[in-house]
């Protein structure tokens, strides 16, 4: 093209040969360093492909001479993290749970560790926010079947509830009053009425008054005379508005007829002691955790007149 | 360039650099450049070593970008991450300030203050000190490699490298306690990122300042392309006054002869001094061009020459397009005030000043305690055994003072009691207290319990009040939620 040969006088550069509204483009060459940078990029890319996994093949990508993998990097990072956290985890494992509560540094670690362990092992039943659902207790509230101080919670996690084969598990059985023929359907109806009266859901009626005696004879042994519950047997309080299996008439009738005994697995042996302790601290921190009861003082002989001092 | 001029040779796609050997020059603008170079380099190298006493709880470095703790210290000002808009504001001010300067006095940034210009200039001085001035440099360039050339080049590159290392080294001192970092750099215990940063900045300084020089301005920098939008007919640009200089007469002697023979001759004697001193290697007599950084060294060179030949100086000078038109028609130039004060500069200055004043105002009135509240959504509410309902909130209290503070958080707008994770329902009240360490954020889980009867969603307000001296307060809004009736 003859046009290509034309030279711009001012700069001595060729014209490209195009014109837009009287403006012509000059064929200004790229600087040489740009070219060399481009070559260097190519060399780098080739080196990168040799050093790192790059080309996808049928089964997997080329390995790369450095032997680097993202899995390996993750594993190395996890190993570093395990080494880093080993010290504080050992400290948590040998510090009693109630002592952790008064140690801000360990408390923070335990709460966070417990939070992530909870997400792994507990959310399946208790829900991601520990709010539970029918049959699975809400761990946020202040109602505890077996006790809500941190040591008690820890023991519950260790041994579970009614876990077969665990000697330390929390064990109790509610009789199936209807199914086993201990009470008639009419009796059960009366007891349910009474329970709904003491839990504030119904006004006293003839049925509930009939249920008083039945309750004393059949239920008070575990649930207490007033239905306030008993933590030694994990017997729930029947006087509060919190119901594990529902507090309406039908649900309570089913409970009394068939009995309820939920099972929680024992975690000792499956989780290490530090993790269980951290879980206990986390559950305790959800808002309903109770203070550790003061140890009962060992009885000492009362100073009497006849006693020599 | 030769083959470019030859229409028969194939066009070249890539052009080797035409090496530039700027000649040494002295003059008004050269001295101004020296002054600005000394000031800017001093600021750059010395700033991290300035101390500023902030008490026991904060670092004592005057200017510190504390990335690890997410704080930005600048003398008496301390900026938290959520206040980063101050930094954004400073950057916007820097941008608009650049517009203002460019529209008022042209590419003053490029010619005097740009780091590329400053370090390139520094490297040029080193080069001249070791290899000699322009002619000696050309001779050395053309000489074959031998002991003398190796020695000179080696010495030059060593000094460049030393400057580059110091430059890269100074940068990292802005990000950590300078004396401690300096010690750890030498005993090898500094973090890898420190050495890495030094290596990268050393390499860029060495390559950009030593070898690429004007190519950075011409090919890599976007600013010459943008500045066209800021320049107008009243902006100062370095201009060859062609109406005075043309036609050129080759050499002084010919000029005098020409004058005697009444041949029309301009003041330009075509001595090429302006081209020889130019750090970007351009010929200013070809008019405004992208390579011109308006450093004005050509003005110094031309003035020297004009003095020698007894002509008025400033054949090349800072002139505006408007002045050029006036001069061509024989009228006096505009006064500097009339040149500077025009709608464009006034507008840029107004915007620049408004942002600055707004930032100063905000800085003077900012609260040094802050509260943010986030309601826990999983679960939203919890029914307690006495029938009441409990919500839980994650509260963060920022204590932006350099001293620990005791604060009290109160609830407002909803009935109920509040307690924190360390307490229990029994210890609950209308307020809770907590301690926030100096310059820290304290996070607490707060529980609020209220009777179940009430709106399903009720606004609740948390206020935090410092219990010491100034009693600063801050508030955060949230909601208290209850089960719908029948739930």
């Amino acid at each position: 093209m003859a046009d290509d040969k034309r030279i711009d006088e001012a700069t001595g550069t060729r014209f490209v040969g195009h014109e837009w509204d009287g403006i012509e483009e000059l064929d200004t060459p790229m600087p040489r360093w740009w070219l060399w940078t481009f070559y260097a990029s190519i060399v780098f890319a080739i080196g990168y492909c040799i050093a790192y996994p790059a080309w996808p093949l049928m089964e997997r990508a080329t390995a790369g001479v450095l032997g680097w993998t993202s899995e390996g990097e993750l594993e190395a990072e996890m190993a570093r993290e395990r080494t880093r956290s080993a010290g504080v985890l050992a400290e948590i494992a040998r510090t009693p749970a109630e002592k952790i509560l008064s140690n801000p540094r360990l408390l923070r670690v335990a709460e966070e560790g417990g939070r992530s362990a909870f997400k792994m092992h507990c959310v399946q039943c208790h829900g991601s926010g520990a709010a539970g659902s029918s049959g699975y207790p809400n761990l946020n509230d202040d109602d505890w079947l077996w006790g809500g101080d941190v040591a008690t919670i820890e023991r519950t996690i260790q041994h579970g509830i009614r876990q077969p084969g665990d000697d330390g598990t929390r064990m109790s059985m509610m009789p199936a009053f209807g199914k086993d023929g201990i009470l008639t359907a009419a009796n059960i109806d009366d007891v349910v009425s009474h329970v709904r009266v003491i839990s504030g859901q119904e006004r006293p009626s003839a049925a509930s008054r009939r249920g008083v005696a039945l309750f004393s004879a059949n239920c008070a042994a575990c649930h207490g005379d007033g239905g306030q519950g008993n933590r030694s047997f994990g017997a729930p309080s029947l006087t509060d508005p919190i119901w594990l299996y529902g507090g309406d008439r039908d649900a309570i009738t089913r409970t009394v007829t068939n009995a309820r005994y939920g099972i929680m697995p024992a975690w000792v042996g499956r989780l290490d002691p530090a993790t269980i302790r951290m879980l206990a601290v986390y559950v305790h921190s959800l808002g309903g955790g109770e203070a550790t009861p003061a140890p009962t003082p060992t009885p000492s002989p009362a100073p009497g007149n006849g006693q020599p001092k | 360039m030769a083959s470019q001029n030859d229409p028969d040779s194939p066009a070249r796609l890539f052009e080797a650099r035409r090496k530039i050997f700027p000649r040494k020059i002295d003059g008004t603008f050269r001295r101004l450049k020296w002054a600005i170079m000394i000031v800017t380099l001093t600021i750059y190298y010395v700033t991290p070593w300035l101390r500023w006493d902030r008490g026991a709880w904060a670092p004592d470095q005057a200017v510190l970008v504390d990335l690890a703790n997410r704080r930005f210290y600048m003398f008496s000002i301390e900026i938290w991450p959520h206040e980063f808009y101050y930094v954004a504001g400073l950057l916007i001010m820097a941008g608009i300030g650049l517009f203002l300067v460019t529209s008022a006095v042209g590419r003053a940034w490029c010619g005097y203050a740009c780091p590329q210009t400053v370090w390139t200039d520094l490297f040029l001085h080193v080069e001249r000190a070791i290899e000699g001035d322009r002619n000696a440099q050309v001779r050395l360039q053309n000489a074959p490699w031998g002991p003398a050339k190796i020695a000179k080049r080696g010495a030059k590159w060593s000094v460049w490298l030393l400057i580059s290392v110091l430059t890269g080294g100074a940068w990292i001192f802005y990000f950590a306690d300078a004396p401690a970092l300096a010690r750890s750099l030498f005993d090898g215990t500094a973090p890898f990122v420190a050495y890495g940063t030094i290596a990268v900045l050393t390499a860029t300084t060495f390559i950009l300042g030593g070898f690429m020089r004007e190519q950075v301005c011409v090919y890599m920098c976007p600013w010459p392309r943008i500045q066209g939008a800021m320049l107008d007919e009243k902006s100062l640009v370095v201009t060859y006054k062609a109406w005075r200089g043309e036609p050129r007469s080759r050499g002084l002697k010919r000029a005098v002869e020409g004058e005697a023979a009444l041949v029309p001759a301009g003041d330009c004697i075509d001595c090429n001094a302006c081209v020889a001193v130019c750090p970007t290697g351009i010929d200013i007599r070809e008019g405004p061009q992208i390579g011109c950084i308006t450093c004005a060294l050509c003005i110094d060179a031309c003035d020297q020459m004009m003095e020698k030949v007894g002509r008025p100086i400033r054949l090349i000078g800072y002139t505006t397009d408007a002045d050029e038109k006036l001069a061509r028609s024989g009228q006096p130039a505009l006064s500097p005030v009339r040149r500077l004060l025009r709608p464009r500069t006034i507008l840029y200055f107004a915007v620049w000043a408004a942002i600055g004043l707004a930032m100063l105002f905000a800085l003077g009135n900012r609260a040094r305690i802050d509260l943010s509240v986030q309601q826990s959504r999983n679960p939203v509410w919890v029914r307690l055994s006495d029938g009441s309902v409990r919500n839980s909130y994650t509260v963060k209290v920022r204590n932006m003072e350099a001293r620990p503070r005791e604060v009290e958080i109160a609830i407002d707008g909803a009935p109920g009691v509040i307690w924190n994770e360390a307490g229990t329902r029994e210890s609950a009240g209308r307020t809770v207290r907590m301690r926030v360490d100096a310059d820290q954020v304290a996070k607490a889980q707060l529980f609020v319990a209220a009777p179940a009867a009430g709106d399903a969603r009720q606004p609740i307000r948390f206020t935090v009040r410092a219990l010491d001296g100034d009693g600063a307060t801050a508030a955060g809004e949230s909601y208290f939620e209850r089960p719908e009736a029948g739930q």
Side-chain angles (χ1 to χ4, degrees), chain B residues 119-441:
Chain B
W119 267 282
T120 301
D121 205 27
L122 185 61
F123 280 21
L124 282 171
H125 291 301
V126 171
E127 192 167 58
R128 277 189 209 115
I130 293 169
E131 295 186 350
D133 203 1
R134 178 181 162 88
N135 295 338
Q137 284 180 26
V138 174
R139 272 199 307 279
L140 188 69
Q141 173 76 15
N142 295 332
W145 282 96
K149 186 165 176 174
I150 291 171
K152 280 189 173 171
R153 284 282 151 91
K156 178 177 82 173
W157 290 335
S158 304
V159 179
W160 283 358
L161 202 58
L162 180 69
I163 295 171
S164 302
V165 172
L166 291 177
T167 303
W171 179 254
I172 61 169
F173 291 141
Y174 286 86
F175 297 86
D177 181 60
L181 182 60
R183 269 194 302 278
S184 65
L185 274 179
F186 285 108
D187 61 25
T189 54
F192 172 76
V193 65
Y195 295 109
T197 307
I198 294 178
V200 168
L201 291 180
T202 301
T204 51
T205 310
F206 190 66
I207 293 169
L208 299 187
F211 298 97
M212 298 198 60
R213 295 185 181 173
E214 82 288 347
Q215 302 186 87
V216 175
C217 309
V218 176
Y219 295 108
M220 296 167 82
C221 179
W223 182 232
R225 284 141 184 95
I226 298 167
Q227 55 153 356
M230 273 131 246
L231 294 172
D232 58 24
E233 75 281 359
K234 285 178 183 166
S235 307
L236 282 176
V237 285
V238 173
T239 306
Y240 165 64
K241 293 166 185 163
W243 68 94
R244 212 190 102 185
E246 300 292 332
R248 302 172 199 176
S249 45
R250 187 79 198 173
L252 172 60
K253 213 172 148 199
R254 286 238 205 117
V256 177
E257 283 166 7
E259 214 165 304
L262 294 176
V263 177
D267 282 345
C268 178
I269 55 169
D270 209 9
C271 63
N272 262 336
C274 53
V275 180
V277 297
C278 181
T280 63
I282 61 163
D283 185 347
I284 192 62
R285 293 171 299 177
E286 287 170 4
Q289 50 204 288
I290 200 166
C292 178
I293 57 172
T294 72
C295 66
L297 294 183
C298 52
I299 302 181
D300 285 341
C302 191
D303 282 358
Q304 264 184 14
M305 207 50 73
M306 289 297 107
E307 270 168 14
K308 267 188 206 159
V309 302
R311 300 265 164 83
I313 60 165
R314 296 294 142 88
L315 174 58
I316 301 174
Y318 272 114
T319 317
T320 67
D321 204 30
D323 283 340
E324 181 184 333
K325 288 201 180 76
L326 291 173
R328 280 182 192 278
S329 61
Q331 288 168 282
L334 289 175
S335 74
V337 174
R338 281 194 58 197
R339 200 159 54 209
L340 286 175
L341 292 184
R342 55 188 203 268
R344 179 191 285 259
T345 52
I346 291 168
L347 183 69
Y348 282 147
F349 180 77
V351 173
W352 182 83
I355 295 172
L357 288 175
M359 284 196 356
L360 278 181
F361 180 77
L363 203 60
N365 288 290
R366 63 186 182 156
R368 296 282 79 192
I369 196 160
D370 193 24
L371 174 79
S372 72
V373 181
Q374 194 180 20
Q375 189 190 15
S376 307
R377 307 296 303 175
N378 185 13
V380 175
W381 49 264
V382 173
R383 198 190 292 280
L384 298 181
S385 54
D386 66 353
S388 61
V389 172
R390 194 193 74 207
N391 281 205
S392 135
Y393 304 85
T394 306
V395 170
K396 286 182 183 169
V397 179
R398 277 195 283 255
N399 172 20
M400 292 178 263
E401 297 277 5
R403 63 172 190 276
R405 296 178 110 175
E406 197 74 29
V407 300
E408 188 176 74
I409 297 172
I411 44 172
D412 202 3
V417 290
I418 182 171
W419 70 97
N420 63 15
E421 68 232 288
T424 58
R425 180 75 190 275
E426 287 67 45
S427 64
R430 291 289 289 177
T431 59
V432 286
R433 287 188 175 195
M434 58 194 279
R435 191 188 133 94
V436 195
D437 286 339
D439 216 14
Q440 292 294 321
V441 182

Side-chain angles (χ1 to χ4, degrees), chain A residues 5-7 10-14 27-35 107 111-112 115 127-131 138 140-143 239-242 285-291, chain B residues 1 3-17 212 215-216 219-220 286 378-379 381-388 390 392 419 421 423-425 443 445 447:
Chain A
K5 306 277 171 87
R6 288 201 307 113
I7 296 290
T11 60
T13 313
R14 280 167 203 281
D27 190 10
T28 308
M30 296 288 281
R32 180 65 49 83
W33 61 261
W34 192 96
L35 183 70
L107 178 65
E111 277 185 14
E112 290 309 315
R115 191 193 307 279
S128 62
N138 185 345
N140 292 285
D141 64 29
D142 59 347
D143 190 31
T239 57
D240 64 27
I242 298 171
S285 78
L286 288 171
E290 295 171 352
Chain B
M1 290 298 272
S3 68
Q4 287 291 320
N5 289 325
D6 178 4
D8 293 322
S9 72
R12 290 192 312 170
L13 296 177
F14 299 94
E15 186 180 23
R17 181 188 173 212
M212 298 198 60
Q215 302 186 87
V216 175
Y219 295 108
M220 296 167 82
E286 287 170 4
N378 185 13
W381 49 264
V382 173
R383 198 190 292 280
L384 298 181
S385 54
D386 66 353
S388 61
R390 194 193 74 207
S392 135
W419 70 97
E421 68 232 288
T424 58
R425 180 75 190 275
K443 182 175 152 185
Q445 197 69 28
F447 301 102

Side-chain angles (χ1 to χ4, degrees), chain A residues 78 113 227 245:
Chain A
M78 299 288 280
Y245 293 93

